[in-house]
Amino acid sequence: MRDSRSLLVSLTVIAMTACGEAGHDAETQSLLAPGMDPTELQSRVEKFESSDIDFDDSALEPWERAVISRLVEASDVMHELFAMQVWSDNPEWKDRLARYAGPGADAARAYFDLMVGPWDRLEHDEPFLDVGPRPPGAGYYPADLTKADFDVWIEAHPTDRDAFTSYFTVIRRTGTSGGLEAVPYSEFYSQPLERAAALLREAADLSQNPSLSDYLRKRAAAFATNDYYQSDIAWMDIRDSRIEPTIGPYEVYEDQLFGYKAAFESFITVADADAGAELQQLKDWLPSLERQLPIEDRYKNPNRRFESPIRVVDEVYAGGDTRAGVQTTAFNLPNDPRVHEQKGSKKVMLRNVSRAKFDRILTPIAQQLLAPDLAVDVAFQPWFTNVVMHELAHGLGPTTVTLPSGNRVGVNQALREHYSSIEEAKADVTGLHCLTVLSSKGLYSPEFLKQAFVGHLADLFRAVRFGPTDAHGKANLLQFDWLLEKNAIVYDVESRTLSADLDAVMAANRELATVILTIQARGDYDAAAALLEKYGSSVPAELQAMLDRLGAVPVDIRPHYMVREKMANWN
Ligand code: ZN
């Protein structure tokens, strides 16, 4: 893909220079942001370690390969669309960078590709090219539009509200009068969307799985009608298909002005039979695991629905939003609440992307920070089973509580701003507890269980590496502090590594599960606040000293999709 693309770019450049722009064949004046040192930019690029993203194609039918080829092409269209959504000048800057020969040229091109634009997604969107600050509304709104301008317009034109706040419109100025209009994606991006739709229809015709064809046809239609509802429903209904694509406008994070506008992206994935079988086994155990939660029986929820639409797949290819900056390892879609009501949502876990991060990030962290007798026990499969169990554990435990006022509310409403951190910690400690239960039933060996716990210890470091800023960071810090207080883990001053007594870790984990699940069962806001205040609020000095040693460990991976090489051999 990179080869064919750079060829296209250079052809464009030749065409442009041939049109008589003498002297502009190579830009040598610096394009870097003022004060941006080329060496610093290069080191930012190197924090992303290139990693092959591969999958098993040996069992794929010829029609499946043909479908995948079309979907890879359609994903490139999503990537092109997303680049325009980030910034309307992105295509022009891509060309400029292609002929740029000034300071830091290679780093500038590489980082621009990684970030899909000239702003550093890891450094609060500061520009690394000389383009000024990122417009908060990305390319969705006029660059100079403020929140107030938007609100004033809606107030004066109330009938515009739906179109203006739609997921699937861009806002543009009309003429010179300062008016505003909402243009549907289907119109604004009509040409690329028509190309993508044609590829999806081709794939639908090639597909021998009716539910897959149905999704692809409905999604192709949505690109033209701008109505995604039916195709979101069809996505939930994909059945017995080894190929699972997710393609279209989904997440709204790129719109930092309002969070209204959906960014184009694509995940092309294939299911793995073994992973699917293990997942099904875990799901079958959920009712029994609920009964064996370490809380009083009256807090258990044996009659809850144990529907967990989770899939474990390998990523074949990805494009658009998800490829910008840090790579996604799991996603939960769709976002349309009408689809949630009718069909729920689906969690898709990307096993091979997780594996790449495990190899490139988690393993080096474990080797540097865990005592050698622990570090040898870090292994992918137990770690990944634990990650899957974490997701399933979100579906265990109390969901509603009766407050002293007599009102019945969701646990999230009772715990308010502490809910996310408490819920993430719950999923961690409950998931681990469930693995001990399953191990006692003979599903997993004692060795496997031990490795799952050690992998989790390494994960605690990974999650707090960038500070306890989000719910996951806080949840992990809470566990670290808890285990430290119980002397289940010990910081060794001499070797500057972490040792652990794994039996004590398992016992302390169970205790913490009891505390957290009971807080949730009672909807005890004050206890949640106190727990997070005592354990999850600051990074202990010994932990910080350890994290400071992780400078050389990559921040993330740079995916190299092996499907390109495979496709060359498929024909
Ligand atoms: Zn979670």
Side-chain angles (χ1 to χ4, degrees):
M1 172 218 121
R2 279 175 195 277
D3 287 351
S4 60
R5 232 193 211 178
S6 53
L7 179 66
L8 274 181
V9 170
S10 41
L11 286 176
T12 322
V13 174
I14 293 164
M16 285 170 65
T17 45
C19 285
E21 279 206 277
H24 284 81
D25 43 324
E27 284 202 52
T28 50
Q29 199 83 332
S30 177
L31 294 179
L32 304 191
M36 175 52 70
D37 172 37
T39 323
E40 157 68 14
L41 191 55
Q42 182 57 33
S43 80
R44 291 191 194 180
V45 172
E46 284 162 11
K47 282 187 177 158
F48 290 80
E49 194 163 312
S50 176
S51 187
D52 290 349
I53 300 297
D54 206 358
F55 65 100
D56 181 8
D57 66 340
S58 57
L60 294 178
E61 303 282 342
W63 71 261
E64 290 176 305
R65 295 177 177 191
V67 167
I68 286 175
S69 303
R70 302 310 183 282
L71 295 179
V72 166
E73 276 187 66
S75 302
D76 283 340
V77 181
M78 293 300 114
H79 199 73
E80 182 189 320
L81 279 163
F82 175 67
M84 290 191 265
Q85 291 183 308
V86 173
W87 191 36
S88 45
D89 288 354
N90 255 347
E92 186 194 322
W93 269 81
K94 192 170 172 65
D95 289 349
R96 252 185 113 171
L97 284 171
R99 55 178 192 272
Y100 173 51
D106 288 338
R109 277 186 283 270
Y111 216 50
F112 185 86
D113 274 354
L114 275 169
M115 295 297 141
V116 192
W119 298 284
D120 190 340
R121 294 171 185 272
L122 263 50
E123 295 288 340
H124 310 287
D125 290 322
E126 80 177 28
F128 55 91
L129 298 181
D130 192 10
V131 297
R134 176 193 187 279
Y140 300 119
Y141 307 86
D144 58 351
L145 186 85
T146 63
K147 268 187 156 173
D149 294 341
F150 187 93
D151 292 339
V152 165
W153 181 271
I154 298 285
E155 214 154 290
H157 308 83
T159 54
D160 277 353
R161 178 180 295 276
D162 285 353
F164 270 53
T165 59
S166 160
Y167 283 133
F168 312 121
T169 60
V170 295
I171 306 303
R172 287 295 175 258
R173 295 204 189 281
T174 53
T176 49
S177 56
L180 294 171
E181 65 173 342
V183 187
Y185 284 0
S186 51
E187 223 173 275
F188 194 78
Y189 303 116
S190 63
Q191 287 186 5
L193 284 175
E194 278 165 25
R195 271 188 287 135
L199 288 161
L200 295 193
R201 278 191 296 265
E202 260 184 69
D205 291 344
L206 290 160
S207 159
Q208 293 181 16
N209 179 300
S211 67
L212 175 62
S213 298
D214 188 50
Y215 167 62
L216 294 172
R217 286 206 182 91
K218 285 179 174 159
R219 183 69 9 145
F223 286 158
T225 61
N226 220 42
D227 179 354
Y228 287 85
Y229 176 70
Q230 290 301 339
S231 51
D232 275 345
I233 296 276
W235 184 74
M236 290 299 296
D237 285 340
I238 296 175
R239 290 280 179 277
D240 305 320
S241 174
R242 204 150 29 189
I243 304 171
E244 173 125 1
T246 304
I247 184 164
Y250 285 106
E251 307 290 359
V252 296
Y253 308 118
E254 200 66 21
D255 173 3
Q256 294 170 14
L257 197 60
F258 289 104
Y260 291 146
K261 308 302 175 192
F264 285 101
E265 68 182 344
S266 168
F267 299 89
I268 309 306
T269 70
V270 291
D272 176 90
D274 291 345
E278 189 193 4
L279 179 63
Q280 191 51 51
Q281 190 179 34
L282 290 174
K283 285 180 183 174
D284 292 343
W285 271 92
L286 289 175
S288 166
L289 290 170
E290 173 76 26
R291 288 194 298 274
Q292 295 179 72
L293 290 177
I295 42 170
E296 294 174 40
D297 282 344
R298 62 187 167 123
Y299 294 143
K300 292 175 187 170
N301 210 349
N303 299 321
R304 70 179 294 166
R305 288 168 52 197
F306 292 101
E307 256 175 52
S308 302
I310 296 183
R311 310 225 28 204
V312 176
V313 297
D314 285 330
E315 185 172 278
V316 171
Y317 196 67
D321 192 14
T322 183
R323 215 162 81 195
V326 172
Q327 299 304 299
T328 306
T329 52
F331 57 89
N332 202 347
L333 288 173
N335 289 325
D336 186 340
R338 293 174 304 166
V339 182
H340 290 184
E341 254 168 54
Q342 206 181 326
K343 290 272 171 191
S345 65
K346 184 160 63 178
K347 177 118 195 173
V348 180
M349 304 184 68
L350 304 168
R351 187 181 58 165
N352 56 348
V353 179
S354 302
R355 167 105 221 194
K357 294 202 189 202
F358 176 87
D359 289 341
R360 309 281 171 180
I361 303 168
L362 197 72
T363 304
I365 287 178
Q367 279 159 357
Q368 289 187 40
L369 299 188
L370 294 182
D373 67 315
L374 290 176
V376 293
D377 271 331
V378 173
F380 176 69
Q381 195 51 57
W383 172 80
F384 188 66
T385 297
N386 182 42
V387 172
V388 173
M389 198 61 236
H390 167 105
E391 293 306 333
L392 292 170
H394 275 305
L396 294 172
T399 51
T400 56
V401 290
T402 307
L403 294 179
S405 60
N407 283 348
R408 190 108 194 121
V409 299
V411 173
N412 57 336
Q413 287 164 290
L415 300 184
R416 304 201 290 277
E417 76 272 21
H418 303 309
Y419 173 72
S420 305
S421 302
I422 290 287
E423 175 62 21
E424 287 309 326
K426 178 206 90 176
D428 273 350
V429 295
T430 306
L432 284 163
H433 170 74
C434 291
L435 289 184
T436 63
V437 173
L438 294 172
S439 173
S440 74
K441 307 282 178 198
L443 253 77
Y444 297 111
S445 70
E447 183 64 15
F448 187 98
L449 181 66
K450 185 173 138 195
Q451 292 177 329
F453 269 89
V454 173
H456 184 65
L457 289 181
D459 241 355
L460 294 184
F461 290 114
R462 190 183 59 145
V464 294
R465 189 173 170 197
F466 304 109
T469 46
D470 68 344
H472 286 91
K474 266 198 206 321
N476 282 276
L477 190 55
L478 160 68
Q479 295 167 65
F480 189 91
D481 288 351
W482 179 274
L483 295 174
L484 209 57
E485 191 196 71
K486 309 284 171 196
N487 285 322
I489 55 175
V490 177
Y491 178 60
D492 184 79
V493 185
E494 194 105 314
S495 64
R496 296 196 296 166
T497 57
L498 194 80
S499 324
D501 170 347
L502 285 178
D503 289 334
V505 169
M506 288 182 206
N509 180 78
R510 185 185 202 277
E511 237 181 287
L512 185 56
T514 304
V515 168
I516 291 176
L517 286 163
T518 305
I519 286 175
Q520 290 200 331
R522 293 181 183 155
D524 194 339
Y525 175 88
D526 293 338
L531 187 73
L532 287 171
E533 173 63 28
K534 183 167 179 202
Y535 298 98
S537 56
S538 65
V539 179
E542 55 262 63
L543 175 55
Q544 191 55 56
M546 298 177 87
L547 294 172
D548 290 345
R549 296 172 50 206
L550 293 176
V553 175
V555 165
D556 203 50
I557 55 156
R558 184 177 355 159
H560 172 242
Y561 300 104
M562 298 303 286
V563 68
R564 287 282 172 194
E565 278 90 327
K566 286 182 151 66
M567 279 163 68
N569 295 322
W570 281 352
N571 300 316

